[in-house]
Amino acid sequence: MIEMRTLAFSFLMSMALQAIVIGLLWMQNRKRFAGLNFWVLCYFLTTIGLGLLALPNIVPPFFSMVVANVINLGALILLYHGLRLFIEKRGLQYANLIILIAFVLVHLYFTMIEPSVRGRIINQSAAISIVWIQCAWLMLYRVSVSFKSGSIYVGLVCLLLCLNSIVRIVLNLIYHQGDTYFTSGTLNVMSYMISQTLLIALTFCLFLIVSNRLNRELESDIFRRKLVEEQLKFSLEEKKTLLQEIHHRVKNNMVVVSGLLNLQANNMKDERLKAALSDSQSRLQAMSDIHEILYKSDNLSAVDMNLYLTKLTRDVVQNYTLGNRVSFKIKAELILIGTRQASPIGLIINELITNSLKYAFPDTEEGEIKINLQKTEDQIELTYMDNGIGIPDNFDWYNTKSMGLNLVKMLAENQLDGSIDMESNNGTKFTIIFNIET
């Protein structure tokens, strides 16, 4: 007869380590997958059950012979329930509850009424084989396609554990294996060792199916993210095209209105009315230029001020014969401004250039106009300078009735929420400071 105490202790230590592994697996994935908590309960209860079996001289016989085996069978039923939840097959365990009750009654009979090691081993093996065959059937035939990867290995190990229990029943029916649990025969020892090996394989397979499911969900997440990314790109491209079309149509409408004003001005005999219409046409052109630049730009939310101011000055100069004798120096490198602030800036520059071309340079003089737009921390400083004859000292430009200068003041203070200052020294200089909109 072979002593099983050493083998029982090795099985206990092996099961404790496996319980720790499954516990770590549960901690990492408890919020992601259902059923893992039942796996943990199974392994820890099995460890407790094996501990009671391995300590017959320390714990009362009832605990080592009855309670330990009930715990082990209950733990196995919890594992089956956890596997069902993991593959999303929910259901109540009435049949297994009946098996557990029947097992307890039979085990009590072979422990208390007619003590028999053979009877207890056959009863235990029969109950365990029934639960193992359920686990095998579940993982081999009842899983959906999405859970097939890895589940077949769990099913095969469960099937082998079932067969091992059946073989143990047959051997105990044919051969007498010993009078106590720890003096079982060689065949029982081999069956015990096979169970230990297969449970280690089962732990590995459980770890494998969790890893496979994680990989599958990761691939699914990547696919969904790529799909969303493509949809966002398409939506963004659609919106970009739509915005470009809007800017294009607004620009065209403004050109039409500007053309109508030009036709009206040509039919006017009153020079003051003709000049007023010409100024209005110039203002429309200043606003139209913004939409033309945005239509041709990749950035639909901000205006390249260097490009805009260069185009604006060129368009304004075309309306004046004097423009050919006035040079422009524009400095606004790498400054992008939103359309809400770019429009009033364009109108301000349009008014100031118009004013300079009308009044700053006598017909015989050449001139220079400098426009400087620079960033200072979170502010923009716009400087406009011409080297013309300047503004007379007694001229109150801030309270003038001139529409152009009043428009400049209003746009700077009300639209840009900034400040405006004027100097007249060897020409005229306007300085406008305002905050950048975020």
Side-chain angles (χ1 to χ4, degrees), residues 182-221:
F182 285 100
T183 57
S184 297
T186 305
L187 296 176
N188 267 333
V189 172
M190 291 179 61
S191 174
Y192 207 68
M193 292 176 65
I194 291 170
S195 295
Q196 182 177 354
T197 305
L198 288 174
L199 283 173
I200 294 172
L202 178 65
T203 303
F204 175 77
C205 290
L206 291 176
F207 188 87
L208 182 65
I209 63 171
V210 172
S211 298
N212 286 343
R213 189 167 173 185
L214 279 172
N215 290 335
R216 188 169 59 253
E217 290 198 356
L218 180 60
E219 290 173 359
S220 179
D221 286 344

Side-chain angles (χ1 to χ4, degrees), residues 177-380:
Q177 298 294 317
D179 297 325
T180 66
Y181 181 79
F182 285 100
T183 57
S184 297
T186 305
L187 296 176
N188 267 333
V189 172
M190 291 179 61
S191 174
Y192 207 68
M193 292 176 65
I194 291 170
S195 295
Q196 182 177 354
T197 305
L198 288 174
L199 283 173
I200 294 172
L202 178 65
T203 303
F204 175 77
C205 290
L206 291 176
F207 188 87
L208 182 65
I209 63 171
V210 172
S211 298
N212 286 343
R213 189 167 173 185
L214 279 172
N215 290 335
R216 188 169 59 253
E217 290 198 356
L218 180 60
E219 290 173 359
S220 179
D221 286 344
I222 292 172
F223 175 76
R224 281 196 299 268
R225 287 186 182 184
K226 285 184 177 179
L227 188 61
V228 170
E229 186 181 342
E230 290 298 321
Q231 289 173 343
L232 286 174
K233 282 182 179 179
F234 179 75
S235 178
L236 186 61
E237 196 62 34
E238 262 191 339
K239 289 178 181 178
K240 182 180 176 181
T241 303
L242 180 61
L243 282 173
Q244 285 179 329
E245 181 63 22
I246 288 170
H247 287 303
H248 183 55
R249 293 195 179 202
V250 171
K251 178 251 181 187
N252 286 346
N253 289 337
M254 287 185 172
V255 169
V256 170
V257 175
S258 178
L260 292 173
L261 289 175
N262 185 50
L263 286 173
Q264 189 66 41
N266 290 334
N267 292 327
M268 288 286 181
K269 293 182 180 179
D270 189 325
E271 291 299 325
R272 286 189 306 168
L273 290 176
K274 186 180 288 189
L277 288 173
S278 180
D279 289 344
S280 297
Q281 183 185 359
S282 183
R283 290 170 190 137
L284 271 173
Q285 184 64 46
M287 291 186 287
S288 172
D289 285 344
I290 290 178
H291 294 284
E292 183 175 354
I293 288 170
L294 288 173
Y295 167 67
K296 295 178 179 178
S297 172
D298 290 331
N299 189 344
L300 299 175
S301 61
V303 180
D304 183 338
M305 293 308 293
N306 190 62
L307 181 64
Y308 175 48
L309 293 177
T310 301
K311 177 170 175 48
L312 178 62
T313 54
R314 185 169 64 245
D315 290 341
V316 175
V317 166
Q318 288 177 355
N319 297 325
Y320 298 88
T321 55
L322 181 64
N324 296 327
R325 293 191 283 107
V326 177
S327 61
F328 287 86
K329 291 186 178 179
I330 299 170
K331 186 177 179 183
E333 297 294 336
L334 301 176
I335 294 182
L336 297 174
I337 293 182
T339 53
R340 188 176 178 277
Q341 289 186 311
S343 185
I345 290 172
L347 289 171
I348 288 170
I349 295 298
N350 176 75
E351 296 300 326
L352 293 177
I353 293 174
T354 300
N355 194 64
S356 293
L357 295 178
K358 282 182 178 180
Y359 309 113
F361 307 107
D363 291 343
T364 57
E365 288 191 15
E366 293 185 353
E368 181 181 68
I369 293 175
K370 294 181 180 179
I371 302 171
N372 185 28
L373 194 68
Q374 62 180 4
K375 256 185 185 179
T376 56
E377 296 181 355
D378 59 343
Q379 290 186 321
I380 292 284

